[in-house]
Each structure stands twice: as structure tokens, then as C-alpha cells.
Amino acid sequence: MKRLLSLLLLTFLSLPLAAAPPGAEINLDIGTPPVILVKHTLAQRSSRLVYFYDPGIIGLANDGMIKLRDGSRLNLSQRQIAEKLIDQENPDRNSLIYAIAEGNGGQQLEPVARAAQVKRWKEQFHSGWWVEDEQGNWSQKP
């Protein structure tokens, strides 16, 4: 019985709290369990990514994903680490966007959630880190 109640509670907590009306802004800080879980995973990885952000090895692509920007200064082992971090980070970023859309009312809101989250990532990106523009050119964030 306890197990059933726990399952029902978990199911209830994962439901959207309220559907976002058409044209409304997406709540990027919605606290559904899937959003919290993915944000926690992203936060745990962030300190390892900084090691590659600071020297400009990786950067924020125009679509909000992380890209290898300049791997020429990496030895094989470092390059493998950077690529593994990117391979872990990008699916989690997509999962976060998916979870935010679900939490705000459903997958039809995914394009709006994606645009809002990419904008936030660009704003949160540190000065001096590399960002890709719409044409695919890289520049350091002022």
C-alpha cells in the first residue's frame, strides 16, 4: 500500500502544475521532478566543463548546445575527455528543454521552451567564453 501511495505521489508531482496559455512565457524555473533531476546533473558536470570553456576549447553553439571549438591544443587524452563531456552535456540539455516544455503544458511548447532556455544559457555564459553566432562564427562574449 505504501508503495502504491508513493507511486501515485510521484506521478502526481510529475504532472504539469498549470498549462501555459498560448503566447505566455515559459517558466524555466518550474520545479517538476524531471526538471530538477536534469538541472542537478548539469550542475554536477559544470565545473569540469569550465576547464575547457576558459581556454576556449569548447563554446556555446548558436543552438544552445556545447561544441568543440578548438581542439588543436589538446592531447589525445584531453580531447577524449572534452568529447565525452560534450556527449554527456548535450543530451542532458535537450532533456532539460523537453522536461521544461512538459512541465509547462506539453511538447507543443518545446520550440518556445528551447528558445527561452537557449537565451538564458547565452545570458548566463561568462565573459570571455566563446559563443557561436547565427552564421557559425565564433567570438568571445564581452
Side-chain angles (χ1 to χ4, degrees):
M1 184 67 170
K2 230 180 197 182
R3 193 174 192 172
L4 178 61
L5 288 174
S6 296
L7 182 60
L8 287 173
L9 180 61
L10 182 61
T11 303
F12 175 75
L13 289 175
S14 66
L15 293 174
L17 299 177
E25 288 204 22
I26 293 289
N27 178 5
L28 295 176
D29 299 314
I30 194 161
T32 63
V35 171
I36 293 168
L37 181 66
V38 177
K39 282 185 175 183
H40 178 71
T41 302
L42 290 167
Q44 286 183 315
R45 189 178 307 112
S46 66
S47 64
R48 289 178 282 160
L49 289 168
V50 169
Y51 176 80
F52 296 101
Y53 285 137
D54 284 343
I57 309 269
I58 62 175
L60 182 66
N62 187 49
D63 63 358
M65 298 298 112
I66 301 304
K67 259 190 188 174
L68 186 66
R69 193 191 73 77
D70 179 13
S72 65
R73 295 176 283 162
L74 299 175
N75 63 36
L76 180 60
S77 161
Q78 292 169 323
R79 186 180 185 97
Q80 288 173 335
I81 292 168
E83 289 174 348
K84 183 176 181 182
L85 286 170
I86 292 167
D87 288 346
Q88 293 170 340
E89 182 76 2
N90 288 336
D92 285 346
R93 284 175 173 247
N94 282 322
S95 293
L96 177 61
I97 291 165
Y98 180 87
I100 289 170
E102 279 294 321
N104 278 279
Q107 283 312 295
Q108 71 277 10
L109 297 173
E110 189 172 342
V112 179
R114 181 172 299 280
Q117 186 61 51
V118 169
K119 181 179 182 224
R120 176 178 275 186
W121 281 324
K122 287 180 180 179
E123 290 168 354
Q124 292 175 338
F125 222 55
H126 292 196
S127 177
W129 289 359
W130 290 82
V131 181
E132 184 183 45
D133 65 18
E134 293 80 22
Q135 290 77 36
N137 301 313
W138 290 96
S139 62
Q140 284 184 291
K141 183 176 176 183

